[in-house]
Amino acid sequence: MITVKQALAEVLNLVSPLPSETVPLRQASGRTLAAPATARRDQPPFAASAMDGYAVIGLEVEPDAMFKVIGESAAGHGFDGEVKAGQTVRIFTGAPLPKGATRVVIQEDVIRNGDLITLRRNLDENPYIRPAGADFKSGDQLVPPRLLTPSDIALLASMNIDQVTVTRRPVIALMATGDELVMPGENPGPDQIIASNNFGLAALVEQHGAEARMLPIARDNRASLEAAFALCEGADMVVTIGGASVGDHDLVAQVAGDLGLERAFYKIAMRPGKPLMAGKMMGIPMLGLPGNPVSSMVCGHVYLLPAIRAMLGFPPEPRPRLQATLTCDMPANGPREHYMRARVQAGQITPFERQDSALLTVLADANALLIRPVDAPEIGKGETVDYIPLG
Amino acid sequence: MITVKQALAEVLNLVSPLPSETVPLRQASGRTLAAPATARRDQPPFAASAMDGYAVIGLEVEPDAMFKVIGESAAGHGFDGEVKAGQTVRIFTGAPLPKGATRVVIQEDVIRNGDLITLRRNLDENPYIRPAGADFKSGDQLVPPRLLTPSDIALLASMNIDQVTVTRRPVIALMATGDELVMPGENPGPDQIIASNNFGLAALVEQHGAEARMLPIARDNRASLEAAFALCEGADMVVTIGGASVGDHDLVAQVAGDLGLERAFYKIAMRPGKPLMAGKMMGIPMLGLPGNPVSSMVCGHVYLLPAIRAMLGFPPEPRPRLQATLTCDMPANGPREHYMRARVQAGQITPFERQDSALLTVLADANALLIRPVDAPEIGKGETVDYIPLG
């Protein structure tokens, strides 16, 4: 058996960053920046008022001082002239500061009478000016790799960037295998169950920036498996579900081998999800996940998501772990790293009692995988443990 | 001034849960369950083997016991006969347990010789049987409201549910207003800036299950604003950006008022994002956000996302807060609740030095809004604070 870390390193070895493509800004949220995005202007592009008020020469500001209003500067419509001694320009938030002015007195500190204003006694000392380029300057960059958030999208817009270079979405071909499977909505025979792993994994990879190509269920015979593999052409990764164990009925590895899979077959010191197949077939990275529902989803989190991130251009590394405080005592762990379905709330983590890897109800109620390292000693309530968030 | 809590209550008062629609399971991830989803079968549908091995009568298991192999039960192909004394059936993981058998001896504990098997000395005592219905039973339900995760999708599939009743996505019309704005990719005049809030908010609401309808920029004149409002028909909420302050140039409220807005205009004890407009116009909830880039995004998180969740059928309540440990001392807060851009890592939170609400670069680098309550006293490094996650 090899460790989870070793197995993940083998999987990450198979993949490399994908080419980029250009998308409109409106579609860039959730995508991964693949090339530097360079600001095409300063922001603000001019010194601007931070408040509604009156632009004046700062040195002239004192209690009871009077100024003559000579014009107005509004957002989108600056004042063309210059503010000179004893003069002021009515100004609004975000509007360009007129030439000559060095300070904005907020309107609450002013008494206006026709074209004249008089300052009040207790004046706010803030000049309320946003200098040109205070947010960013022309040429400033967002650098890849970067998963673009809604705030990033707002920033890119303000940089006047309407097209963004992002990594192409990895296409993940998902192949559920087994004579026992039927699709949801079909009528299963007495010995059959409903294919669920392919649906769950499709949702999972799409949630993390990939595109799922769901293949027809491959049956436990050579012709059906070959037909399914033929539909993987052009995918960036092939994920088979089931048939990764050493059972007599596991044809998947044989057929993939005949189709050119340079294969490694791993037994991993891991619960759930011991068997894993990994290799390249016709140049396409392939990952063989166990058919057990919970095992395949857990392996999706532990192996497939890091592979997708690596294809998107992020460093090849395990999923980041978070920390939470145990709400109960836990016994020592055995020789396999245990990914336990758990519930985190407000920094407290509680593993579910039932950890059988066949229980999708427990997985669906979980929002975390609590990680128990190999041979971890018993641990008490209140101690800190690592987890991977689900959801 | 009213509190953030009061303002949010006013906003949530405007909205109610939307009708539902039915979508294929494949498209249900990230949607909100709107009606109970009822399992159409037991899972497993039959007692099944949890391992590859041999099905026997449990009472007969003892070291060196011998059994005759009378058949095979594979996934999808059960064994039709009955296991009797001295007999066994070769069985694979997930396959139906044959009639008569009560235990599976794992293949590692067996020596096979033709049609005969002999048990080893040290036998694993686990019976390795998954009882029928151990995961869920026909009639078991997932209950609304529930944001459907990839694990839920796998569970729904295994329940044989191929169509899911979810809440319709709220359609959010986003209207940026102001003569100073141009769209990304355009050539701004010397007094102009690029519209960014509408792009950021569109990405934000779509990330949280709504559909964004981005309207053309409305100019600071009655005709342009009326034309933009006309494009809001059929939306579930109208969000205006800018023009919510009391400045002379803020026509938005006037025009919306003439179009029938029953309006409330709030000054909120909040930083950033003091002014907020909220009301109903032609029966459509309307929210007027400040035009300042960071303010509008922060108000999007604090007011708009809870409104979307309420429309999706979740209880009308503030966004849940998380807790983290301060990495620095912080001064006392003033009379306004302060949403500070901050960075959380491994449970430690660090506010950015620059909190000017015009800085989109700082917002984009933040992954959290650290919340300082009204009149909060100074607080030291190592103390716990509340935050809302961004991202």
PDB file of all heavy atoms in Angstrom, chain A residues 249-276:
ATOM      1  N   HIS A 249     -14.516  -9.640 -11.901  1.00  0.00           N
ATOM      2  CA  HIS A 249     -15.408  -8.991 -12.857  1.00  0.00           C
ATOM      3  C   HIS A 249     -14.916  -7.630 -13.309  1.00  0.00           C
ATOM      4  O   HIS A 249     -15.650  -6.884 -13.909  1.00  0.00           O
ATOM      5  CB  HIS A 249     -16.811  -8.864 -12.259  1.00  0.00           C
ATOM      6  CG  HIS A 249     -17.516 -10.179 -12.259  1.00  0.00           C
ATOM      7  ND1 HIS A 249     -18.431 -10.534 -13.213  1.00  0.00           N
ATOM      8  CD2 HIS A 249     -17.379 -11.254 -11.451  1.00  0.00           C
ATOM      9  CE1 HIS A 249     -18.851 -11.749 -12.988  1.00  0.00           C
ATOM     10  NE2 HIS A 249     -18.235 -12.228 -11.912  1.00  0.00           N
ATOM     11  N   ASP A 250     -13.667  -7.314 -12.992  1.00  0.00           N
ATOM     12  CA  ASP A 250     -13.207  -5.968 -13.297  1.00  0.00           C
ATOM     13  C   ASP A 250     -12.442  -5.936 -14.607  1.00  0.00           C
ATOM     14  O   ASP A 250     -11.231  -6.048 -14.663  1.00  0.00           O
ATOM     15  CB  ASP A 250     -12.371  -5.441 -12.135  1.00  0.00           C
ATOM     16  CG  ASP A 250     -13.228  -5.328 -10.882  1.00  0.00           C
ATOM     17  OD1 ASP A 250     -14.333  -4.765 -10.997  1.00  0.00           O
ATOM     18  OD2 ASP A 250     -12.825  -5.815  -9.821  1.00  0.00           O
ATOM     19  N   LEU A 251     -13.212  -5.770 -15.638  1.00  0.00           N
ATOM     20  CA  LEU A 251     -12.684  -5.769 -16.991  1.00  0.00           C
ATOM     21  C   LEU A 251     -12.093  -4.425 -17.380  1.00  0.00           C
ATOM     22  O   LEU A 251     -11.352  -4.332 -18.355  1.00  0.00           O
ATOM     23  CB  LEU A 251     -13.836  -6.054 -17.967  1.00  0.00           C
ATOM     24  CG  LEU A 251     -14.116  -7.483 -18.361  1.00  0.00           C
ATOM     25  CD1 LEU A 251     -15.429  -7.525 -19.141  1.00  0.00           C
ATOM     26  CD2 LEU A 251     -12.970  -7.989 -19.233  1.00  0.00           C
ATOM     27  N   VAL A 252     -12.464  -3.387 -16.638  1.00  0.00           N
ATOM     28  CA  VAL A 252     -12.117  -2.035 -17.065  1.00  0.00           C
ATOM     29  C   VAL A 252     -10.617  -1.896 -17.300  1.00  0.00           C
ATOM     30  O   VAL A 252     -10.172  -1.411 -18.349  1.00  0.00           O
ATOM     31  CB  VAL A 252     -12.578  -0.988 -16.026  1.00  0.00           C
ATOM     32  CG1 VAL A 252     -12.161   0.414 -16.455  1.00  0.00           C
ATOM     33  CG2 VAL A 252     -14.083  -1.054 -15.829  1.00  0.00           C
ATOM     34  N   ALA A 253      -9.844  -2.374 -16.333  1.00  0.00           N
ATOM     35  CA  ALA A 253      -8.397  -2.232 -16.443  1.00  0.00           C
ATOM     36  C   ALA A 253      -7.869  -3.004 -17.649  1.00  0.00           C
ATOM     37  O   ALA A 253      -7.015  -2.514 -18.386  1.00  0.00           O
ATOM     38  CB  ALA A 253      -7.728  -2.720 -15.161  1.00  0.00           C
ATOM     39  N   GLN A 254      -8.402  -4.215 -17.857  1.00  0.00           N
ATOM     40  CA  GLN A 254      -7.962  -5.011 -19.020  1.00  0.00           C
ATOM     41  C   GLN A 254      -8.229  -4.301 -20.331  1.00  0.00           C
ATOM     42  O   GLN A 254      -7.363  -4.177 -21.188  1.00  0.00           O
ATOM     43  CB  GLN A 254      -8.708  -6.354 -19.055  1.00  0.00           C
ATOM     44  CG  GLN A 254      -8.253  -7.353 -18.018  1.00  0.00           C
ATOM     45  CD  GLN A 254      -9.139  -8.593 -18.075  1.00  0.00           C
ATOM     46  OE1 GLN A 254      -9.516  -9.039 -19.155  1.00  0.00           O
ATOM     47  NE2 GLN A 254      -9.474  -9.132 -16.924  1.00  0.00           N
ATOM     48  N   VAL A 255      -9.471  -3.813 -20.470  1.00  0.00           N
ATOM     49  CA  VAL A 255      -9.837  -3.175 -21.743  1.00  0.00           C
ATOM     50  C   VAL A 255      -9.031  -1.899 -21.936  1.00  0.00           C
ATOM     51  O   VAL A 255      -8.514  -1.632 -23.029  1.00  0.00           O
ATOM     52  CB  VAL A 255     -11.355  -2.876 -21.780  1.00  0.00           C
ATOM     53  CG1 VAL A 255     -11.710  -2.082 -23.031  1.00  0.00           C
ATOM     54  CG2 VAL A 255     -12.132  -4.181 -21.737  1.00  0.00           C
ATOM     55  N   ALA A 256      -8.898  -1.109 -20.862  1.00  0.00           N
ATOM     56  CA  ALA A 256      -8.120   0.124 -20.977  1.00  0.00           C
ATOM     57  C   ALA A 256      -6.674  -0.221 -21.317  1.00  0.00           C
ATOM     58  O   ALA A 256      -6.036   0.477 -22.115  1.00  0.00           O
ATOM     59  CB  ALA A 256      -8.210   0.928 -19.680  1.00  0.00           C
ATOM     60  N   GLY A 257      -6.170  -1.299 -20.742  1.00  0.00           N
ATOM     61  CA  GLY A 257      -4.803  -1.728 -21.048  1.00  0.00           C
ATOM     62  C   GLY A 257      -4.654  -2.066 -22.525  1.00  0.00           C
ATOM     63  O   GLY A 257      -3.704  -1.647 -23.183  1.00  0.00           O
ATOM     64  N   ASP A 258      -5.618  -2.793 -23.063  1.00  0.00           N
ATOM     65  CA  ASP A 258      -5.569  -3.141 -24.482  1.00  0.00           C
ATOM     66  C   ASP A 258      -5.645  -1.895 -25.363  1.00  0.00           C
ATOM     67  O   ASP A 258      -5.163  -1.886 -26.484  1.00  0.00           O
ATOM     68  CB  ASP A 258      -6.731  -4.079 -24.840  1.00  0.00           C
ATOM     69  CG  ASP A 258      -6.574  -5.433 -24.142  1.00  0.00           C
ATOM     70  OD1 ASP A 258      -5.473  -5.686 -23.610  1.00  0.00           O
ATOM     71  OD2 ASP A 258      -7.548  -6.199 -24.111  1.00  0.00           O
ATOM     72  N   LEU A 259      -6.295  -0.854 -24.835  1.00  0.00           N
ATOM     73  CA  LEU A 259      -6.404   0.394 -25.600  1.00  0.00           C
ATOM     74  C   LEU A 259      -5.188   1.292 -25.383  1.00  0.00           C
ATOM     75  O   LEU A 259      -5.175   2.452 -25.783  1.00  0.00           O
ATOM     76  CB  LEU A 259      -7.679   1.149 -25.209  1.00  0.00           C
ATOM     77  CG  LEU A 259      -8.987   0.481 -25.634  1.00  0.00           C
ATOM     78  CD1 LEU A 259     -10.181   1.170 -25.005  1.00  0.00           C
ATOM     79  CD2 LEU A 259      -9.105   0.496 -27.167  1.00  0.00           C
ATOM     80  N   GLY A 260      -4.192   0.765 -24.688  1.00  0.00           N
ATOM     81  CA  GLY A 260      -2.930   1.508 -24.597  1.00  0.00           C
ATOM     82  C   GLY A 260      -2.687   2.176 -23.262  1.00  0.00           C
ATOM     83  O   GLY A 260      -1.796   3.014 -23.142  1.00  0.00           O
ATOM     84  N   LEU A 261      -3.494   1.859 -22.269  1.00  0.00           N
ATOM     85  CA  LEU A 261      -3.276   2.486 -20.964  1.00  0.00           C
ATOM     86  C   LEU A 261      -1.941   2.059 -20.378  1.00  0.00           C
ATOM     87  O   LEU A 261      -1.692   0.868 -20.173  1.00  0.00           O
ATOM     88  CB  LEU A 261      -4.404   2.100 -20.003  1.00  0.00           C
ATOM     89  CG  LEU A 261      -4.261   2.643 -18.566  1.00  0.00           C
ATOM     90  CD1 LEU A 261      -4.468   4.151 -18.539  1.00  0.00           C
ATOM     91  CD2 LEU A 261      -5.240   1.960 -17.624  1.00  0.00           C
ATOM     92  N   GLU A 262      -1.076   3.039 -20.143  1.00  0.00           N
ATOM     93  CA  GLU A 262       0.114   2.760 -19.335  1.00  0.00           C
ATOM     94  C   GLU A 262      -0.344   2.982 -17.921  1.00  0.00           C
ATOM     95  O   GLU A 262      -0.528   4.089 -17.468  1.00  0.00           O
ATOM     96  CB  GLU A 262       1.244   3.733 -19.667  1.00  0.00           C
ATOM     97  CG  GLU A 262       1.673   3.689 -21.121  1.00  0.00           C
ATOM     98  CD  GLU A 262       2.352   4.987 -21.510  1.00  0.00           C
ATOM     99  OE1 GLU A 262       3.038   5.574 -20.660  1.00  0.00           O
ATOM    100  OE2 GLU A 262       2.144   5.424 -22.654  1.00  0.00           O
ATOM    101  N   ARG A 263      -0.516   1.896 -17.221  1.00  0.00           N
ATOM    102  CA  ARG A 263      -1.329   1.934 -16.034  1.00  0.00           C
ATOM    103  C   ARG A 263      -0.510   1.729 -14.783  1.00  0.00           C
ATOM    104  O   ARG A 263       0.445   0.965 -14.766  1.00  0.00           O
ATOM    105  CB  ARG A 263      -2.368   0.819 -16.137  1.00  0.00           C
ATOM    106  CG  ARG A 263      -3.190   0.571 -14.907  1.00  0.00           C
ATOM    107  CD  ARG A 263      -4.261  -0.418 -15.271  1.00  0.00           C
ATOM    108  NE  ARG A 263      -3.706  -1.728 -15.589  1.00  0.00           N
ATOM    109  CZ  ARG A 263      -3.791  -2.775 -14.763  1.00  0.00           C
ATOM    110  NH1 ARG A 263      -4.381  -2.651 -13.595  1.00  0.00           N
ATOM    111  NH2 ARG A 263      -3.303  -3.934 -15.106  1.00  0.00           N
ATOM    112  N   ALA A 264      -0.932   2.420 -13.772  1.00  0.00           N
ATOM    113  CA  ALA A 264      -0.477   2.063 -12.445  1.00  0.00           C
ATOM    114  C   ALA A 264      -1.724   1.720 -11.644  1.00  0.00           C
ATOM    115  O   ALA A 264      -2.775   2.329 -11.818  1.00  0.00           O
ATOM    116  CB  ALA A 264       0.259   3.231 -11.815  1.00  0.00           C
ATOM    117  N   PHE A 265      -1.613   0.740 -10.826  1.00  0.00           N
ATOM    118  CA  PHE A 265      -2.752   0.289 -10.047  1.00  0.00           C
ATOM    119  C   PHE A 265      -2.340   0.385  -8.600  1.00  0.00           C
ATOM    120  O   PHE A 265      -1.361  -0.218  -8.187  1.00  0.00           O
ATOM    121  CB  PHE A 265      -3.066  -1.153 -10.442  1.00  0.00           C
ATOM    122  CG  PHE A 265      -4.288  -1.689  -9.812  1.00  0.00           C
ATOM    123  CD1 PHE A 265      -5.542  -1.359 -10.319  1.00  0.00           C
ATOM    124  CD2 PHE A 265      -4.210  -2.505  -8.697  1.00  0.00           C
ATOM    125  CE1 PHE A 265      -6.684  -1.851  -9.726  1.00  0.00           C
ATOM    126  CE2 PHE A 265      -5.352  -2.994  -8.100  1.00  0.00           C
ATOM    127  CZ  PHE A 265      -6.594  -2.667  -8.621  1.00  0.00           C
ATOM    128  N   TYR A 266      -3.042   1.192  -7.849  1.00  0.00           N
ATOM    129  CA  TYR A 266      -2.605   1.486  -6.487  1.00  0.00           C
ATOM    130  C   TYR A 266      -3.538   0.923  -5.446  1.00  0.00           C
ATOM    131  O   TYR A 266      -4.753   1.025  -5.578  1.00  0.00           O
ATOM    132  CB  TYR A 266      -2.502   2.997  -6.275  1.00  0.00           C
ATOM    133  CG  TYR A 266      -1.578   3.653  -7.245  1.00  0.00           C
ATOM    134  CD1 TYR A 266      -2.072   4.486  -8.247  1.00  0.00           C
ATOM    135  CD2 TYR A 266      -0.209   3.429  -7.186  1.00  0.00           C
ATOM    136  CE1 TYR A 266      -1.222   5.071  -9.162  1.00  0.00           C
ATOM    137  CE2 TYR A 266       0.653   4.010  -8.094  1.00  0.00           C
ATOM    138  CZ  TYR A 266       0.142   4.832  -9.089  1.00  0.00           C
ATOM    139  OH  TYR A 266       0.979   5.401  -9.980  1.00  0.00           O
ATOM    140  N   LYS A 267      -2.937   0.361  -4.424  1.00  0.00           N
ATOM    141  CA  LYS A 267      -3.692   0.137  -3.195  1.00  0.00           C
ATOM    142  C   LYS A 267      -3.229   1.210  -2.242  1.00  0.00           C
ATOM    143  O   LYS A 267      -2.035   1.326  -1.954  1.00  0.00           O
ATOM    144  CB  LYS A 267      -3.381  -1.243  -2.622  1.00  0.00           C
ATOM    145  CG  LYS A 267      -3.953  -2.352  -3.473  1.00  0.00           C
ATOM    146  CD  LYS A 267      -4.319  -3.534  -2.590  1.00  0.00           C
ATOM    147  CE  LYS A 267      -5.278  -4.447  -3.331  1.00  0.00           C
ATOM    148  NZ  LYS A 267      -6.110  -5.222  -2.420  1.00  0.00           N
ATOM    149  N   ILE A 268      -4.174   1.991  -1.784  1.00  0.00           N
ATOM    150  CA  ILE A 268      -3.825   3.164  -1.004  1.00  0.00           C
ATOM    151  C   ILE A 268      -4.231   2.958   0.445  1.00  0.00           C
ATOM    152  O   ILE A 268      -5.295   2.419   0.729  1.00  0.00           O
ATOM    153  CB  ILE A 268      -4.527   4.416  -1.568  1.00  0.00           C
ATOM    154  CG1 ILE A 268      -4.234   4.528  -3.072  1.00  0.00           C
ATOM    155  CG2 ILE A 268      -4.079   5.667  -0.838  1.00  0.00           C
ATOM    156  CD1 ILE A 268      -5.011   5.603  -3.755  1.00  0.00           C
ATOM    157  N   ALA A 269      -3.372   3.403   1.339  1.00  0.00           N
ATOM    158  CA  ALA A 269      -3.662   3.311   2.768  1.00  0.00           C
ATOM    159  C   ALA A 269      -4.668   4.404   3.106  1.00  0.00           C
ATOM    160  O   ALA A 269      -4.342   5.446   3.668  1.00  0.00           O
ATOM    161  CB  ALA A 269      -2.379   3.469   3.581  1.00  0.00           C
ATOM    162  N   MET A 270      -5.927   4.148   2.740  1.00  0.00           N
ATOM    163  CA  MET A 270      -6.970   5.163   2.796  1.00  0.00           C
ATOM    164  C   MET A 270      -8.321   4.509   3.047  1.00  0.00           C
ATOM    165  O   MET A 270      -8.596   3.438   2.514  1.00  0.00           O
ATOM    166  CB  MET A 270      -6.998   5.892   1.449  1.00  0.00           C
ATOM    167  CG  MET A 270      -8.104   6.897   1.294  1.00  0.00           C
ATOM    168  SD  MET A 270      -8.032   7.641  -0.349  1.00  0.00           S
ATOM    169  CE  MET A 270      -9.330   8.860  -0.185  1.00  0.00           C
ATOM    170  N   ARG A 271      -9.122   5.171   3.849  1.00  0.00           N
ATOM    171  CA  ARG A 271     -10.520   4.767   4.053  1.00  0.00           C
ATOM    172  C   ARG A 271     -11.398   5.965   3.840  1.00  0.00           C
ATOM    173  O   ARG A 271     -11.122   7.015   4.438  1.00  0.00           O
ATOM    174  CB  ARG A 271     -10.726   4.273   5.488  1.00  0.00           C
ATOM    175  CG  ARG A 271     -10.402   2.843   5.717  1.00  0.00           C
ATOM    176  CD  ARG A 271     -11.153   2.307   6.918  1.00  0.00           C
ATOM    177  NE  ARG A 271     -10.738   2.951   8.164  1.00  0.00           N
ATOM    178  CZ  ARG A 271     -11.368   2.802   9.324  1.00  0.00           C
ATOM    179  NH1 ARG A 271     -12.461   2.069   9.405  1.00  0.00           N
ATOM    180  NH2 ARG A 271     -10.935   3.401  10.401  1.00  0.00           N
ATOM    181  N   PRO A 272     -12.499   5.940   3.095  1.00  0.00           N
ATOM    182  CA  PRO A 272     -12.818   4.885   2.146  1.00  0.00           C
ATOM    183  C   PRO A 272     -12.031   5.112   0.870  1.00  0.00           C
ATOM    184  O   PRO A 272     -11.431   6.158   0.702  1.00  0.00           O
ATOM    185  CB  PRO A 272     -14.308   5.100   1.908  1.00  0.00           C
ATOM    186  CG  PRO A 272     -14.493   6.567   2.040  1.00  0.00           C
ATOM    187  CD  PRO A 272     -13.497   7.012   3.082  1.00  0.00           C
ATOM    188  N   GLY A 273     -12.038   4.117  -0.022  1.00  0.00           N
ATOM    189  CA  GLY A 273     -11.470   4.368  -1.338  1.00  0.00           C
ATOM    190  C   GLY A 273     -10.135   3.738  -1.592  1.00  0.00           C
ATOM    191  O   GLY A 273      -9.332   4.282  -2.323  1.00  0.00           O
ATOM    192  N   LYS A 274      -9.883   2.582  -1.040  1.00  0.00           N
ATOM    193  CA  LYS A 274      -8.598   1.911  -1.167  1.00  0.00           C
ATOM    194  C   LYS A 274      -8.068   1.748  -2.590  1.00  0.00           C
ATOM    195  O   LYS A 274      -6.948   2.166  -2.867  1.00  0.00           O
ATOM    196  CB  LYS A 274      -8.743   0.545  -0.501  1.00  0.00           C
ATOM    197  CG  LYS A 274      -7.485  -0.208  -0.257  1.00  0.00           C
ATOM    198  CD  LYS A 274      -7.876  -1.377   0.657  1.00  0.00           C
ATOM    199  CE  LYS A 274      -6.835  -2.454   0.716  1.00  0.00           C
ATOM    200  NZ  LYS A 274      -7.419  -3.621   1.419  1.00  0.00           N
ATOM    201  N   PRO A 275      -8.833   1.161  -3.530  1.00  0.00           N
ATOM    202  CA  PRO A 275      -8.207   0.932  -4.831  1.00  0.00           C
ATOM    203  C   PRO A 275      -8.326   2.161  -5.722  1.00  0.00           C
ATOM    204  O   PRO A 275      -9.325   2.870  -5.711  1.00  0.00           O
ATOM    205  CB  PRO A 275      -9.024  -0.211  -5.409  1.00  0.00           C
ATOM    206  CG  PRO A 275     -10.367  -0.116  -4.779  1.00  0.00           C
ATOM    207  CD  PRO A 275     -10.210   0.657  -3.493  1.00  0.00           C
ATOM    208  N   LEU A 276      -7.293   2.390  -6.507  1.00  0.00           N
ATOM    209  CA  LEU A 276      -7.296   3.519  -7.434  1.00  0.00           C
ATOM    210  C   LEU A 276      -6.452   3.111  -8.624  1.00  0.00           C
ATOM    211  O   LEU A 276      -5.407   2.486  -8.466  1.00  0.00           O
ATOM    212  CB  LEU A 276      -6.675   4.741  -6.757  1.00  0.00           C
ATOM    213  CG  LEU A 276      -6.823   6.076  -7.477  1.00  0.00           C
ATOM    214  CD1 LEU A 276      -8.231   6.631  -7.275  1.00  0.00           C
ATOM    215  CD2 LEU A 276      -5.804   7.075  -6.941  1.00  0.00           C
TER     216      LEU A 276
END
